[in-house]
């Protein structure tokens, strides 16, 4: 599928996507570790999907036919410029681990990103999903992003104001490639920022099943007043199992894969059951927060259009 020149400048391997997702589910694919901007044209000519840290992704057991592209070391960058007038610019490549960006900002006494402490993501994935918590989002501090928009051939910088971002959504079209971003950050006290980051991580560790494979929160919160986890908990579904997949007894909006034996069909059956119960018993349509690759289309259908489910 790729030329010898492309393969000399970028790494192409066969993988099981279960090894590339935090859920530890997903079949085979050809993986491209993309490093050479000069090869962008050839890459864009081939059917492809973009992958970050795989922290918010459910992949079918049959895998995917398209090339799966991760950004390589050339995009694993972080440059901090000195603050002027109390504000500093930070330039981050999309392959950078979000945790590393947060640590660099805390060490330099730059405030904001510490609010994302404990969110598992690459910078690119966090931009794409507008990853965040209940109080802040990735795009809160971003001044511009470098992207390749679907149908375009070359990277360009977009101002934050050009992105109609919302809860868990960058506002840019599906298939956009994020290459990096620039953050505009105010100065803060490193010790206070570090303490705040540690506090957030501790709260997550106390309320989320972080030791078990999962894709984080499965559903978007229908409203801030009714978080999906609370709703699923009230429906009595904690601990429900299908095969190797289970609704976490710790946080009901997590589906965990404790023995790493879950298949995509196991997870899909749980998703279907949860959506069916939320609709029939509470009249609420739960929408997936996780991205799905090649999974049954019914996971996205309105639950009123699906047959009653028994698990
Ligand atoms: N709750 C229950 N039972 C549960 C889980 C939660 O009653 O099983 C209750 C909690 O007691 C709390 C409320 O639901 O009163 C909200 O729970 P939590 O504080 O855990 O927040 P959340 O809305 O469930 C959101 C994000 C998380 C993020 C946390 C912490 C979404 C869908 N989830 O969770 O993000 O880590 O806030 O900031 O927006 C993710 O995106 O993958 C994710 C995990």
């Amino acid at each position: 599928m790729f030329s010898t020149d492309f393969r000399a400048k970028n790494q192409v391997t066969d993988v099981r996507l279960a090894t590339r997702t935090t859920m530890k589910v997903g079949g085979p694919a050809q993986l491209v570790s993309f490093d050479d901007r000069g090869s962008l044209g050839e890459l864009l000519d081939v059917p492809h999907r973009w992958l970050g840290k795989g922290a918010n992704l459910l992949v079918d057991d049959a895998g995917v036919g398209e090339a799966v592209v991760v950004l390589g070391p050339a995009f694993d960058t972080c440059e901090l410029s000195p603050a002027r007038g109390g504000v500093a610019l930070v330039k981050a490549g999309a392959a950078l681990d979000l945790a590393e960006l947060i640590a660099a900002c805390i060490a330099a006494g730059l405030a904001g990103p510490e609010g994302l402490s404990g969110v598992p993501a690459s910078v690119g994935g966090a931009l794409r999903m507008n990853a965040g918590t209940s109080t802040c989002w990735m795009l809160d501090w971003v001044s511009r992003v470098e992207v390749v928009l679907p149908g375009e051939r070359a990277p360009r910088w977009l101002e934050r104001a050009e992105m109609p971002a919302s809860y868990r959504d960058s506002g840019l079209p599906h298939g956009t490639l994020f290459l990096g971003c620039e953050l505009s950050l105010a100065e803060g006290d490193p010790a206070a920022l570090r303490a705040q980051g540690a506090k957030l991580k501790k709260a997550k560790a106390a309320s989320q099943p972080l030791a078990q494979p999962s894709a984080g929160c499965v559903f978007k919160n229908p409203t801030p007043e009714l978080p999906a986890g609370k709703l699923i908990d009230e429906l009595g579904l904690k601990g429900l199992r299908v095969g190797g997949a289970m609704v976490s007894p710790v946080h009901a909006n997590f589906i965990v894969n404790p023995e790493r034996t879950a298949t995509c069909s196991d997870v899909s059956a749980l998703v279907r059951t949860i959506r069916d119960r939320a609709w029939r018993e509470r009249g609420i349509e739960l929408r997936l927060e996780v991205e799905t690759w090649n999974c049954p289309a019914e996971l996205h259908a309105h639950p009123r259009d699906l047959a009653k489910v028994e698990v």
Side-chain angles (χ1 to χ4, degrees), residues 55-56 115 117-120 129-137 167-168 200 203-204 207-210 214-234 238 247-254 287 289-290:
N56 199 47
S117 295
V119 173
M129 293 305 302
N130 196 7
T133 69
S134 41
T135 55
C136 60
W137 299 336
Y167 170 64
R168 296 297 191 272
L200 290 169
K204 263 180 194 276
S207 64
Q208 300 180 357
L210 300 184
S214 81
C217 283
V218 176
F219 300 99
K220 291 183 180 176
N221 286 340
T223 63
E225 295 73 37
L226 184 57
K230 185 164 189 285
L231 169 64
I232 300 164
D233 194 351
E234 286 172 3
K238 273 184 169 174
V247 178
S248 168
V250 177
H251 193 300
N253 199 10
F254 282 64
R287 289 169 185 264
E289 197 238 315
V290 295

Side-chain angles (χ1 to χ4, degrees), residues 1-281:
M1 186 148 59
F2 293 104
S3 69
T4 315
D5 184 53
F6 184 97
R7 286 171 181 267
K9 293 172 178 164
N10 307 278
Q11 210 181 65
V12 183
T13 45
D14 291 323
V15 296
R16 284 193 69 76
L17 289 169
T19 64
R20 289 285 178 157
T21 61
T22 55
M23 187 76 186
K24 305 295 171 208
V25 170
Q30 188 171 54
L31 187 81
V32 177
S33 177
F34 182 71
D35 261 312
D36 173 42
R37 282 176 179 253
S39 309
L40 187 61
E42 182 170 345
L43 181 67
L44 294 174
D45 283 339
V46 168
H48 59 269
R49 297 170 182 259
W50 306 113
L51 177 68
K53 205 172 175 178
N56 199 47
L57 182 62
L58 177 63
V59 184
D60 191 59
D61 306 314
V64 296
E66 302 89 348
V68 171
V69 187
V70 291
L71 296 176
F75 297 90
D76 189 355
T77 55
C78 185
E79 295 163 35
L80 288 80
S81 38
R84 274 198 207 157
V87 176
L89 284 185
V90 177
K91 210 168 163 186
L96 182 70
D97 197 299
L98 182 61
E100 284 182 35
L101 173 65
I102 295 168
C105 293
I106 290 176
L110 298 175
E114 79 287 349
L116 297 175
S117 295
V119 173
S122 61
V123 166
L127 292 168
R128 153 85 174 76
M129 293 305 302
N130 196 7
T133 69
S134 41
T135 55
C136 60
W137 299 336
M138 178 70 182
L139 289 163
D140 289 349
W141 306 284
V142 168
S143 45
R144 50 189 204 130
V145 293
E146 191 187 15
V147 292
V148 182
L149 293 173
E152 297 194 352
R153 309 285 300 167
R156 61 153 120 174
W157 284 91
L158 285 181
E159 297 298 319
R160 169 67 180 84
E162 297 176 78
M163 302 171 68
S166 58
Y167 170 64
R168 296 297 191 272
D169 187 2
S170 73
L172 296 182
H174 202 78
T176 298
L177 163 62
F178 290 87
L179 292 175
C181 67
E182 210 169 69
L183 300 103
S184 179
L185 302 174
E187 286 182 295
D189 167 36
L193 300 177
R194 191 167 290 114
Q196 176 61 8
K199 189 175 143 195
L200 290 169
K201 278 195 196 166
K202 202 171 161 199
K204 263 180 194 276
S207 64
Q208 300 180 357
L210 300 184
Q212 294 178 328
S214 81
C217 283
V218 176
F219 300 99
K220 291 183 180 176
N221 286 340
T223 63
E225 295 73 37
L226 184 57
K230 185 164 189 285
L231 169 64
I232 300 164
D233 194 351
E234 286 172 3
L235 290 169
L237 295 175
K238 273 184 169 174
L240 182 69
R241 262 195 106 117
V242 175
M246 175 170 67
V247 178
S248 168
V250 177
H251 193 300
N253 199 10
F254 282 64
I255 291 178
V256 290
N257 178 12
E259 296 91 26
R260 300 182 177 226
T261 53
T263 61
C264 182
S265 345
D266 296 340
V267 179
S268 301
L270 280 182
V271 167
R272 204 173 186 281
T273 303
I274 294 167
R275 296 183 77 227
D276 182 61
R277 293 274 303 271
W279 176 247
R280 282 194 293 118
E281 293 175 35

